[in-house]
Amino acid sequence: MKDWQYRLAEHRGTLIALAIFIVMFAIYTANHPAGFTANVVQTAANKGALLAFVAIAQTLVVITAGIDLSVGMILLLTNCLASWVVVGSPMETAFGAVLVLLAGAACGALNGAIVIYGRLQPIVATIATGAVFYGVALLLRPFPGGSVNEDLADALTGKIFGVVPASLIVLLAVILLVWIPFSHSVYGRAAYAAGSSEPAAYISGMPIRRGKFLAYTLAGLVAAIGGLFLTFFSYTGEAAYASGNAYTLFSIAAVVLGGVSLFGGKGSAVGAVFGALAFRTIGDLLFVFDLDPLWQPLFQGLILLAAVSLGAFALFRVKNRLEWFL
Amino acid sequence: MTANALPQFIRKADPAVLTAFGCIILLLVIGGIYSRSFLSPEYLLQQLKVASFLGVIATGMMLVVLLGQIDLSVPWTVTAGAMMACAVAAYGPVGVALAIPFGIFCGALIGAINGIGVAYLRIPSMIVTLATNAVAQGIMVIYTGGFSPQDSATDAMRYLATGTILGIPNAAIIWLILGVATVFVLGRTSFGRSVYGIGNRERAAYLSGINTRRIVMIAFAASGALSAFGGVLLAGYASKAAQSMGDAYLLPAIAAVVLGGTSILGGRGSYMGTVAGVILITLLQSILSVMQMPEAGRQITYGLLIILMLLLYGRSPAIR
Amino acid sequence: YAEPEVVSGPAAEPDCFAPWSADTKFFKFPKKDGPYRIALANGYIANTWRIQMVQTAKAYAAQPDVAAKLKEFKVVSTGEDVPAQISAINNFIDSGYDAIVVNAQNPTAFAPVIKRAKEAGVVLVAFDNTLDTQDAINVNVDQKGLGVLWGDWLVKHLPNGGKVLEVRGVAGTSVDTDRHNGIHETLQASGKDFKVTEVMGKWDDGVAQKVAADAIATNGPFDGITAQGGDTGVVQAMIDAKHPFVPFGGETENGFRKFCAKFSGEGLKCTSAGTGPAQVAVAIKTAIAALEGNVVPQSVKLPLAIVSDPDFKDGQDYFSGESDNFFVGNSFPTCGINFTAQEIMGQSKENQ
Amino acid sequence: MEGAGPLFQMEGISKSYGGVRALQDASLSIRAGTIHAILGENGAGKSTLIKVMAGVVSPDQGQMMLGGNPVQFASPAAAMEAGIACVVQELSLIPELSVADNVVISNPPQRFGLIDRTAQRRIAEQSLLRAGAGDVHPMALVKDLPLSRRQMVEIAKALTRKPRILILDEATSALTASDVSKVFEVLKRLRSEGLALLYISHRMNEIAELADECTVFRNGRNVASFPAGTKSDGEVVQLMIGREYQNVYPEKPTAQADAKPLLEVQNLSWANRLHDISFGVKPGEILGLGGLDGQGQRELLLALFGVLRGLEGEVKIEGKATKLDSPASARKKNVGMALIPEDRKTEGLMLPMSVRDNLSFASLDMLTVRGIVDKTKEAQSIDEMVKLLAIKTGALDSPVSSLSGGNQQKVVIAKWLMRHPRIILLNDPTRGIDVGTKQEIYLLMRRLADQGAAIVFYSTDYAELIGCCDRVLVMYNGAVETELLGDEITEHALISSALHIRPKENQPRERVSR
Ligand SMILES: Nc1ncnc2c1ncn2[C@@H]1O[C@H](COP(=O)(O)OP(=O)(O)OP(=O)(O)O)[C@@H](O)[C@H]1O
Ligand SMILES: Nc1ncnc2c1ncn2[C@@H]1O[C@H](COP(=O)(O)OP(=O)(O)OP(=O)(O)O)[C@@H](O)[C@H]1O
Ligand SMILES: [Mg+2]
Ligand SMILES: [Mg+2]
């Protein structure tokens, strides 16, 4: 095999997610009454970016062979916090935003500490911390309300030069400033290695604990960016349990669509971002097809089922049945 | 003989299970200090009854978790089981007679689809079951929106869920029977052995000549059926079925299985642990609810207590 | 398109479009020629109330006189996620719909959309979960008033105060908070000695039944009960626990009313009031009126559908042969909206 | 360069796992510039000893001295820091990472705090070359490599750390003769560069070729240390197993009965990896599969066992064409096939499960009545097998992971013998097994054959093929290259067919990838 073939194989999951997204989005805009306009793209981008942040957060944890079922609750918690502190003068706003990010990172770090040093299984540990985060969110916002610096909010959910959605720029920045450095660092590699085979990584003397801890912490941080964005998007904070759970579940779907292996060690946040965008487009398709409202949930469910079954086609090419079992 | 049997039983028991039961007693003591009525037989029987619903659902979840999988389709499988059972009861006496089996059958069907996805298409269970949950929800929405189906529970469902025999809630008796059957199946049948084997190493189980795909498929179908049966009982308890009645059972079911010492990675766990986990979760929710703590505090306490209990006994072994 | 003029009342159909309070503004939108394109942006769909609401909306839009005014009526349900609903509204705006009716997932989150709708000259009407704004039309149920009503009922029936079980809704929502405050303030204002046990029933029969059963076993018996939803389950819990029937202030589920009628003689003295899903029809009607250039209040006060003991009548206030799960109280006679529950949900399998 | 004091010393090291004493007051002393071999039967404590050295396991008791100073390793990283690198028996490669990632794993080159991929690639290529694995592409994922290549990568990885002490725990057990000779060159060069090497192997000839000093372990203690070559093989083995050592291989029967083949394969082909293979095995016959590793032998066995899809050709059992599409169908009574798989840890055993459950796992269908396990029958069969194979285990209820490698392998074999199979496929069953146990396995194979079983036996060890087989098929590139019968089975014949040596051609080696 040539170098480029290896490279292609390395990025296959991401490319497939990109392709799925492009096809879906093309169908969507082609049928949209307003067509492929800057407004339509902005709307889709804002909605997509929000899930994409959560999906990046989920990816960070999933590559360590963990899972973060509290990620939606971190989103809520930081949303509620932001609706208190990200207001006022530019200085105050900036300070508030930093505070929100720190809070998110602290949530992630708590998850990491419990999973790594407490040695609990991530699924259960994060179910439990999710309840705690939700409780705190509810303390912050017993009922919906609060406010946010609207200039900043409008700037970050608006369009740059009237064309490019600002949310996509932020998303790109997160990938460039958080994901790329992490995944190319020693700790990122340790996180991947721990996800692929923890004993082997341990015997190889990799800093697995620090790598995993960093992954969990950054996941909290990126989820907090999502929380900030949710605040910019809605100008308020709300501790909506169902919505937090929905984001958690969506993020898992997005991550899988994005070619990240739930078994750990494989995949990229870039793929997860496309997975998130594709997942959001499933919802948008409802808008352009004239479906009976009662049939819409089924339609969404079936598309999701079809999308996740896509990967199964590779199965028919498997000639050695042992490959079924990894 | 008996004097010897007891220590033997305790010696052989999983420390996780023992600690879980210890936590239950501790919870009851704390509750009892708060209010004597937490120790009243009515309250305890009431908890046992309510725990049975979760217990039935968690039994299915445990089967799947033992395989190293997870079933996120519980919420709408519970609902579908309940709604279908009630719906079929509208079709005359035959419908009434078939209500319970039909509800369970619908759950088994959803479970079988999960099973096909996991075993034959090899999609991660976390994601297939998420998708089938969405599909089941979609179908239930169409179904109840199109016309108004009958949704009141049959007398048999009412009796199973709320009746008592000699003061013991029927639901608890059902859970007991189911539990004994599960212990038997897991410990004494080749199906049970295969479940543990697959949970530990599916590849090795396959090369040992086990039809692993069929076992996985059956386990998921059973999980669906048990979720639906839980739904049927819930419908009997509430005397009717309603949309989204299963929402409150997914996370508690997972938590109960894991609090009972079953490894979420599969291959390890005992049913007694799940029993302990179910009772623990039910009591915890109930005591927190009755203690009048505001929702926020309740959530925080619930989460912290689960973490604490797991730190007590649910830790994975250290690498060195 | 220009913004609506703020004018003085009264509204075009003053009985239907009743203003929320004396200082409610009145809007007059520039008249548009029909037929109109109207959209309903719903959030969550998978519960009986929402399904019934969507069905009512469709049925209302299909009524000949309404259908004649509509070129298109589109419904999209976006689930629990607020941003998805915001995006749906944005999409409707961009696609040139004339009016958008919304059951908001969050009352405070829509400021940016309201701004956009206003700029685009789109009429935005919120109902059920309304919007905290002066810039869109709200079709309101007086949630706090509902709490007050239930509180008053208990005060009236328990002249000496007593132990009350309050089954609340979903924590963190404004509806739950408003109703709870209404009850709480009324009980306190009565000066009687009320000892309230609060549990969260999540507006769900199963959950409500369980928490009510727990509360009865540990803190019972109670002298009065109030529940915001899941009331059928609460009564069921009383029956299962052989708790004596006591005065009850609750919602409008058919099952609850069935119980109220059945056990009235044994002490289950109910008041049942609430916010039927048919309010969506009022919202659509308001949107059409606004598009036609008629004067409408910024905040419409919906009449409550109240029935109290001993007035429960089968076939009118409740339907003994029908499902427990639907909400009775689907008629707003002052608006000419008179759906019976059967029309919406009662197409039983025989007449399918 | 020699003559100085010991570079590394261990004294009084003890380590217990639960009730099992893996090491008991063990000591060892190694010098720079030497290759020190450690010998001992399975479960003697060799791996545990080096795990202690490498910081993977912390000892219960004892001291270690490095260059005269006492040391303690809190983690593998600490041991590495001190210059101890280890090629362990259980591979320590990360399957989802590329070869280059793995090779530089403990100390990747960095620029601006990020890993420098270009430099990493360069280092990896050099290391692979140094380890004699230049044919491995640095961008290939480790999980896609065959076992033998992974071993080479593992060695390259250890070399990248520039260690002072290099430990190889059965590093060559998965390698073929040609790879072994390459590795040996590397090891000898390292010795001349002044490294101390610790070498564990069950292959006596390797030790004879390499070692300067030997230490024999038995039951967790070092029982003897001596300069290499001062004791005969027989003496060494006697030290290891504590009893007299006889001829390793059992007598072969003189002539085969003229029986019909039990298993027959005609024109079997599969997915460009197996080409037109035909042969038959008679009851009582041991058919060997030879050739370089990775020439399709494993695939052939998997194909027979029903694991591969899209097979062409025909498989006949007792002359009847039989469709085998899963291990389940292959183990059925009318076929009666068993496969001892390649990798016992992932394919043969459920490591955390008890010895008991593992032993009966493949025979559940025979031990159950309407799906319910007959406990008495199960216990009987298990006892029988434990006795038959002399499986050494503390308790049958302890996890099989607590057994030593050799005993684990016995469990894998026993679990299949419990079915009394007629056709037995063995995929390198003696890998990493001590001579004593190996001998038991050879004897067992012959006994089973004498009882009428047809055996197909793949081994990477030529001596085994020569010693055990009635007939050997040497495979090359997915096809049968030569068939050797009886006295034709010689080392020379095996190697020359394996290398596909024809007078003119000289095959260029492809880069290995799957
Ligand atoms: N997966 C693991 N399970 C148990 N112990 C571990 C594990 N990984 C590392 N350790 C222990 O943790 C310590 C540090 O190991 P490692 O170098 O991997 O972590 P680190 O991130 O570099 O350091 P630290 O987390 O202590 O800051 C060592 O003592 C090692 O024994
Ligand atoms: N993790 C463990 N838990 C329990 N017992 C263990 C563990 N690791 C090793 N042992 C036991 O310690 C003893 C020594 O094992 P070790 O792996 O060191 O043997 P070895 O000499 O390397 O054998 P082999 O040649 O088969 O590799 C064995 O009896 C084994 O069963
Ligand atoms: Mg060893
Ligand atoms: Mg070994």
Side-chain angles (χ1 to χ4, degrees), chain A residues 247-258:
Chain A
Y247 271 98
T248 302
L249 295 182
F250 292 172
S251 72
I252 297 171
V255 155
V256 171
L257 286 179

Side-chain angles (χ1 to χ4, degrees), chain B residues 125-157:
Chain B
S125 56
M126 195 170 263
I127 187 89
V128 204
T129 54
L130 196 62
T132 48
N133 188 52
V135 171
Q137 170 180 354
I139 294 172
M140 287 304 110
V141 166
I142 294 170
Y143 176 72
T144 36
F147 61 99
S148 160
Q150 172 162 332
D151 53 14
S152 46
T154 62
D155 290 340
M157 285 155 75

Side-chain angles (χ1 to χ4, degrees), chain B residues 12 184 187-191 193-211 267-268 319-320, chain D residues 55-56 58 73-74 305 307 327-328 331 345-347 349-350 352-353 357 360-362 364 368 371-373 375 378 415-416:
Chain B
K12 278 189 83 178
F184 182 79
R188 289 296 305 277
T189 66
S190 57
F191 173 80
R193 296 282 183 89
S194 307
V195 166
Y196 280 98
I198 294 170
N200 273 307
R201 185 70 74 176
E202 184 167 7
R203 189 188 261 254
Y206 173 76
L207 281 176
S208 304
I210 304 290
N211 191 341
R268 193 161 50 77
I319 278 194
R320 50 187 265 140
Chain D
V56 178
S58 55
F73 302 131
F305 206 53
V307 175
R331 75 173 193 180
K345 286 193 193 310
T346 63
E347 299 179 341
L349 297 169
M350 270 71 73
M353 284 170 80
D357 285 349
S360 60
F361 197 76
L364 285 176
T368 54
I372 297 165
V373 179
K375 283 265 190 189
E378 185 189 15
K415 93 178 206 190
W416 280 106

Side-chain angles (χ1 to χ4, degrees), chain B residues 55 78 86 145:
Chain B
V78 168
C86 293

Side-chain angles (χ1 to χ4, degrees), chain C residues 278-303:
Chain C
Q279 54 178 292
V280 69
V282 181
I284 297 170
K285 186 181 168 82
T286 313
I288 295 174
L291 288 171
E292 285 173 334
N294 294 326
V295 174
V296 290
Q298 184 267 325
S299 183
V300 178
K301 183 170 190 166
L302 275 176

